[in-house]
Amino acid sequence: MAKKGKKKKQAVSADGTITLATNRRARHDYKILDTVECGIVLVGTEIKSLRDGKISLNDAFATIDKGEVFLRNLHIPEYSYGHWTNHSPKRTRKLLLHRREIDRLLGQVRNGNRTLIPLKAYLKNGIAKLELGLGEGKQAYDKREDIKRRTEEREVTQMMGRRMKGMRG
C-alpha cells in the first residue's frame, strides 16, 4: 500500500471556518487600516489543492483594474492527482467583492502609499474566502518599536505569571 502525503494541520475555529494560511509577514511590514472578506474565483483543481492545505500567501498582493479586484502572485501548487486539467500555480485570480466595497477600496488605494494585502485564506462553509487588508507601509523604526513593545509586554506577563505561582522574578 502506498503512503499518502502528509496533510497540514488546519486550524478550525468555533464558527466552523478552517484556516488554510495566514500572512504573518504582512502585519510586520504593514500597518493594517481596514480588512474585508472576499471570495476567490478558482478552477477545479485549485480548490482540491486548497483543501489539502497547500497555499502560500507570501509575495501576494491585490490590484484594482477596470473596476475589478485581482489577486496576483498567490501560489497554489498543482493538484497531485490532477493531469492535463491542472491549473498554473501563480495565475491571476479574480476576487469577489460588492461594488461599494471595491469603490471604497479604490478611493483608499489612490489616496497615498496604501496597498491591498491578503492576510488570511480560509474555508467558510466549504467556500474559499480571503481576508484582504488595506495596508500602509511601515518604516524600519516603526518595526523596531513594535518589536520592543511586544518584548516588554511578554516580559511583564512572564513576571506576573511567576508572581502568581510564588516564584521570584
Side-chain angles (χ1 to χ4, degrees):
M1 197 160 185
K3 286 186 179 180
K4 288 189 176 181
K6 266 189 168 179
K7 271 194 169 182
K8 276 175 79 175
K9 182 93 172 160
Q10 298 170 340
V12 180
S13 68
D15 60 348
T17 61
I18 300 170
T19 302
L20 301 171
T22 54
N23 190 353
R24 295 176 57 191
R25 189 80 190 158
R27 295 202 186 270
H28 178 73
D29 290 340
Y30 297 94
K31 181 176 156 187
I32 305 301
L33 306 171
D34 190 19
T35 60
V36 65
E37 179 184 67
C38 55
I40 313 170
V41 176
L42 300 172
V43 296
T45 54
E46 286 179 324
I47 191 67
K48 292 180 178 190
S49 194
L50 274 181
R51 287 191 175 127
D52 282 346
K54 297 176 181 174
I55 183 174
S56 175
L57 294 175
N58 299 345
D59 303 330
F61 63 97
T63 58
I64 302 175
D65 302 327
K66 298 178 185 171
E68 294 181 332
V69 183
F70 293 97
L71 189 61
R72 304 186 189 282
N73 283 350
L74 176 72
H75 188 265
I76 301 175
E78 290 184 348
Y79 184 57
S80 57
Y81 298 110
H83 39 81
W84 61 271
T85 60
N86 255 334
H87 62 278
S88 60
K90 283 212 172 194
R91 74 178 189 89
T92 301
R93 294 163 181 93
K94 186 177 176 181
L95 297 179
L96 304 172
L97 289 155
H98 290 284
R99 170 63 45 206
R100 65 182 173 277
E101 291 174 329
I102 295 172
D103 292 341
R104 185 176 51 84
L105 289 174
L106 182 61
Q108 294 285 331
V109 170
R110 282 188 181 163
N111 244 3
N113 63 342
R114 294 180 180 161
T115 186
L116 298 171
I117 310 126
L119 301 175
K120 183 168 73 167
Y122 54 95
L123 293 173
K124 185 175 184 180
N125 299 328
I127 299 171
K129 300 281 186 178
L130 187 80
E131 184 178 309
L132 196 63
L134 179 68
E136 198 170 61
K138 283 186 186 178
Q139 301 294 329
Y141 59 84
D142 291 334
K143 294 177 191 177
R144 287 193 296 269
E145 286 175 8
D146 284 348
I147 292 169
K148 183 179 177 183
R149 181 182 44 79
R150 279 197 306 264
T151 306
E152 289 172 352
E153 287 174 3
R154 190 179 320 115
E155 289 173 354
V156 167
T157 55
Q158 285 176 353
M159 291 295 287
M160 294 299 289
R162 288 186 185 130
R163 288 228 171 106
M164 295 291 284
K165 293 177 184 175
M167 303 169 101
R168 290 188 179 184

